[in-house]
Amino acid sequence: MAESATARETSGNVLFFMKIPVICTTLLIEKSPQALPLGAACIATAVKHCAGIEALVDVSLKAFCLEDKDFPKEKNKAAGFVAQKLIEKAGGGEGAPAGTQAIICFSCFVWNVEILEAASKILRQKGIITIAGGPEITAHPSFYKGFDYTVSGEGEESVPVLISRIINKSKEPGKSDSVIISASPDLSVIHSPYLDGIIDPSEYGGALWELARGCPFKCAYCYESKGEKTVRLFPMERIKAELELFAKKKIPQVFVLDPTYNVNKKRAVELLRLIASKTPDTFYYFEARAEFIDRELAREFTKIPCALQIGLQSTNEEVLKLINRPWDKKKFLRGISFLNEEGVTFGLDLIFGLPGETFSSFRNGMDFAFSLYPNNLEVFCLSVLPGTDLFDRADELGLVYQKNPPYHVIQNKELQAEQIQRLEKLAKACFIFYNEGRAVPWFNSVCKCLKMSGTKLLEIFYEKVLAVNKDYEKCCDHKIIEKLQLDFLSKLFNERKMERYFRAAEDIIKFYGAISRTTDTRQSEILQLNYNAEYVASDYASDIRWFTENIKPQKSKIQTFINQGQADFRFVK
Ligand code: SF4
């Protein structure tokens, strides 16, 4: 507070003209590039640059994190903790001048809104003014009464105007003007929080990078379902300047926020070339639509270190109609085959609990997804989010869902609650066994050998492993998971009297596990195999039955290492 105060002496008295602290804050699930407090930082930057009030306010950003050691686990204590820290930051702690006014802007999401609203109530009792925005508030701005003001939509223009109004007291806070619906700001004039320096992506190990806002599609479960259906692009000069900043700061990873990144192929290629020239060593994550990927674009993706995440959501045509998400399966498969042929890493998303989805149609969708060899398959429970088209049609569609965040579906016309719970277990098994278990190189060949679908295998894995020790549901140590996979599969092959096939499966799992760890850690590993590693690394391994019946076991010892930037192996004695 002291640095932000200006002082003038009059008649022997010191009068302090205090700048008003404006703190933009949020509560993060974790401290990671994906959880970086971009929304709060955008508002802080906009307030900082607002003509007319910039000299009157002292703007700062404060992010809390559920993972912080001192962050309380209980919700009521967490709200008190957040409120106390904000009071201290605003200079309202012990010894602060009475009547110090401060303004706190909360960025609210489904996972943090309850705690932030409770914190707001405490702050308001201390005379601090609170403003809330973010996706959860945008969805239903009149619902949350614990804040002085709620702002729906993008707040870069509306929040500074509101703060200016509060400071100038041009209107007293009142019920009628406590809910503000923002107009979409002009993206060519708003300031970048990175270039402004209000947030340093190095502190988060990476950046969330906005290239555009809006979406031309209207998937019923998404906030965009009731949006304008227009895409607004950030200007190229800002994009170039941010890239240069990422290069200067050697930012290791960037998550691109643009759900339609590759819909405009010309722009997508131009940006990929720009990225390759400015930040060749940074790893990028894109959201992409498979239907719009052709070979040229797939090749461009191979020129930078990157991974694509593709929304599949469902493969049930009835479901896709109900959620207003047209799907051209042929084009989708063609796009995926370009990615696989060119060697582009990609993951797929699926949502369970959508209207019209049955238990078996969802499992079929998962098995379809596995057949495409995604590097990861993210399986989400449907959230019936207020403010979406699906929320408005929930009764008509028979959706029963939690009335508070995260608004997960409990049952629908086709899925009983017990079946939704079974799909939750399947999602957990997929996360540990397939994603964290880095199973893509061998999952389909193991399932084929066992004559079992991927979903069946994962259901058994859940019952035999995760249900027995719930701690494993959160495990992300690949060596531990690999041991779980091998112990589980060894028993499964034995039960089916298929021990002889397990020797090859074991080699393939260990081989690709060691290669992937070496890729990550750049550390060598020594591995003893039942078969010659050349065969284990070959296409022969894609059919474990054929491999076992045609390749003679031959013990081999290998060492993994990094060769021209890639993990490789060599034989050792
Ligand atoms: S889910 Fe993705 S593609 Fe569909 S409307 Fe939302 S942002 Fe657009």
Side-chain angles (χ1 to χ4, degrees):
M1 192 67 188
E3 313 87 84
S4 63
T6 51
R8 193 191 302 160
E9 227 170 286
T10 55
S11 318
N13 294 323
V14 178
L15 285 182
F16 284 94
F17 292 91
M18 315 293 286
K19 284 191 178 184
I20 296 171
V22 174
I23 306 170
C24 296
T25 186
T26 192
L27 171 61
L28 312 173
I29 290 185
E30 57 184 12
K31 194 153 185 189
S32 73
Q34 279 167 291
L36 175 143
L38 185 63
C42 286
I43 299 303
T45 309
V47 176
K48 214 174 131 186
H49 289 277
C50 178
I53 56 167
E54 76 263 59
L56 304 173
V57 292
D58 177 27
V59 183
S60 61
L61 178 69
K62 168 79 184 157
F64 297 92
C65 181
L66 289 174
E67 281 182 347
D68 284 346
K69 271 197 193 127
D70 57 347
F71 197 86
K73 298 280 169 276
E74 301 87 0
K75 268 189 190 165
N76 55 344
K77 284 193 186 159
F81 177 86
V82 168
Q84 185 52 37
K85 293 282 173 197
L86 290 171
I87 289 167
E88 285 165 19
K89 192 168 170 59
E94 243 171 84
T100 301
Q101 194 185 31
I103 299 170
I104 311 285
C105 304
F106 290 100
S107 180
C108 301
F109 295 82
V110 284
W111 64 84
N112 66 19
V113 69
E114 289 176 25
I115 294 174
L116 297 185
E117 189 185 29
S120 165
K121 287 177 184 167
I122 300 170
L123 293 167
R124 291 173 72 191
Q125 285 167 6
K126 302 267 177 198
I128 291 175
I129 294 170
T130 66
I131 303 171
E136 181 58 18
I137 301 296
T138 296
H140 44 180
S142 306
F143 179 77
Y144 292 103
K145 308 287 185 207
F147 304 98
D148 286 305
Y149 299 92
T150 52
V151 177
S152 170
E154 299 164 35
E156 280 103 337
E157 278 175 9
S158 55
V159 173
V161 168
L162 172 62
I163 290 177
S164 159
R165 206 180 84 194
I166 294 167
I167 292 172
N168 296 317
K169 296 202 172 30
S170 59
K171 260 188 185 177
E172 287 305 315
K175 212 173 170 49
S176 59
D177 59 0
S178 63
V179 175
I180 288 109
I181 309 295
S182 311
S184 300
D186 177 354
L187 299 188
S188 67
V189 296
I190 63 177
H191 292 262
S192 156
Y194 296 123
L195 299 176
D196 181 70
I198 198 106
I199 191 161
D200 181 355
S202 321
E203 276 180 34
Y204 292 84
L208 282 178
W209 194 29
E210 273 197 297
L211 299 181
R213 288 186 187 169
C215 180
F217 305 104
K218 283 188 161 285
C219 308
Y221 54 85
C222 173
Y223 287 127
E224 297 288 348
S225 60
K226 289 164 84 180
E228 291 168 11
K229 217 177 175 178
T230 51
V231 179
R232 290 136 59 221
L233 305 176
F234 279 97
M236 213 32 126
E237 309 83 77
R238 166 172 161 151
I239 287 172
K240 281 184 189 160
E242 286 180 332
L243 263 182
E244 272 154 19
L245 181 86
F246 297 159
K248 194 169 138 207
K249 288 186 170 279
K250 297 191 175 19
I251 297 302
Q253 49 183 329
V254 172
F255 291 81
V256 175
L257 297 180
D258 183 351
T260 58
Y261 177 75
N262 65 314
V263 171
N264 179 340
K265 184 184 151 191
K266 192 167 163 268
R267 183 167 181 266
V269 169
E270 185 189 356
L271 282 169
L272 284 171
R273 290 181 181 159
L274 195 62
I275 287 168
S277 71
K278 303 247 184 226
T279 56
D281 299 323
T282 301
F283 198 97
Y284 282 81
Y285 296 88
F286 296 93
E287 291 172 75
R289 296 285 298 221
E291 293 91 325
F292 301 103
I293 292 170
D294 63 9
R295 192 171 295 285
E296 187 200 359
L297 187 57
R299 273 194 192 139
E300 286 299 327
F301 278 117
T302 64
K303 294 180 186 162
I304 62 165
C306 74
L308 275 54
Q309 197 64 25
I310 293 166
L312 174 58
Q313 318 312 13
S314 174
T315 54
N316 181 328
E317 307 233 337
E318 281 308 305
V319 174
L320 293 165
K321 258 188 225 152
L322 283 171
I323 60 168
N324 192 28
R325 199 180 152 93
W327 186 48
D328 187 329
K329 186 174 177 182
K330 229 168 135 187
K331 281 191 185 163
F332 182 91
L333 286 173
R334 206 181 50 191
I336 295 288
S337 67
F338 287 135
L339 295 179
N340 275 327
E341 284 162 24
E342 297 298 327
V344 181
T345 302
F346 70 92
L348 296 173
D349 293 341
L350 282 173
I351 300 175
F352 63 87
L354 288 167
E357 192 83 88
T358 65
F359 188 71
S360 69
S361 74
F362 187 78
R363 287 171 94 250
N364 291 344
M366 274 185 84
D367 286 321
F368 171 82
F370 290 133
S371 75
L372 305 178
Y373 293 85
N375 191 54
N376 57 297
L377 175 60
E378 307 296 338
V379 181
F380 301 101
C381 179
L382 171 66
S383 284
V384 184
L385 297 169
T388 62
D389 179 45
L390 207 58
F391 181 85
D392 294 348
R393 294 192 288 134
D395 289 345
E396 163 208 332
L397 295 168
L399 294 169
V400 180
Y401 57 92
Q402 298 168 344
K403 294 300 172 208
N404 291 307
Y407 309 109
H408 279 164
V409 71
I410 297 167
Q411 64 178 73
N412 66 21
K413 280 184 193 160
E414 292 76 19
L415 283 166
Q416 296 304 308
E418 174 269 332
Q419 289 176 308
I420 297 260
Q421 285 158 17
R422 280 178 66 191
L423 292 176
E424 268 165 21
K425 290 175 184 173
L426 195 52
K428 285 176 184 166
C430 181
F431 176 72
I432 294 297
F433 193 94
Y434 191 86
N435 297 352
E436 294 292 310
R438 306 176 191 183
V440 59
W442 50 263
F443 186 76
N444 287 334
S445 52
V446 164
C447 292
K448 187 175 161 199
C449 182
L450 285 162
K451 296 192 173 152
M452 189 181 272
S453 68
T455 47
K456 183 74 201 159
L457 184 130
L458 292 178
E459 278 171 349
I460 305 173
F461 177 73
Y462 186 90
E463 290 312 323
K464 303 226 171 194
V465 181
L466 300 186
V468 176
N469 187 342
K470 297 265 184 198
D471 286 348
Y472 289 138
E473 283 182 7
K474 295 196 182 85
C475 182
C476 46
D477 181 328
H478 183 250
K479 274 210 161 171
I480 294 175
I481 296 172
E482 185 180 272
K483 185 163 182 328
L484 294 179
Q485 290 167 328
L486 289 169
D487 290 349
F488 163 72
L489 289 173
S490 164
K491 284 183 197 143
L492 203 58
F493 275 82
N494 284 354
E495 279 166 15
R496 282 156 197 256
K497 313 241 175 299
M498 294 173 67
E499 296 88 333
R500 73 186 187 112
Y501 296 108
F502 180 68
R503 285 157 64 93
E506 182 185 23
D507 271 13
I508 297 162
I509 293 168
K510 282 184 174 172
F511 174 80
Y512 284 106
I515 289 286
S516 79
R517 287 191 297 274
T518 298
T519 304
D520 268 9
T521 62
R522 320 311 268 177
Q523 306 277 313
S524 283
E525 289 193 21
I526 300 280
L527 214 55
Q528 187 79 56
L529 299 172
N530 300 310
Y531 289 86
N532 184 319
E534 295 284 6
Y535 290 124
V536 174
S538 75
D539 283 348
Y540 295 142
S542 64
D543 187 336
I544 293 172
R545 276 177 190 266
W546 186 94
F547 188 99
T548 306
E549 286 158 13
N550 293 279
I551 310 272
K552 273 194 184 158
Q554 181 196 355
K555 294 263 180 228
S556 65
K557 194 174 179 186
I558 60 162
Q559 180 183 36
T560 59
F561 69 107
I562 295 294
N563 182 15
Q564 295 178 349
Q566 305 279 331
D568 200 349
F569 73 93
R570 60 183 156 230
F571 290 96
V572 287
K573 292 203 172 159

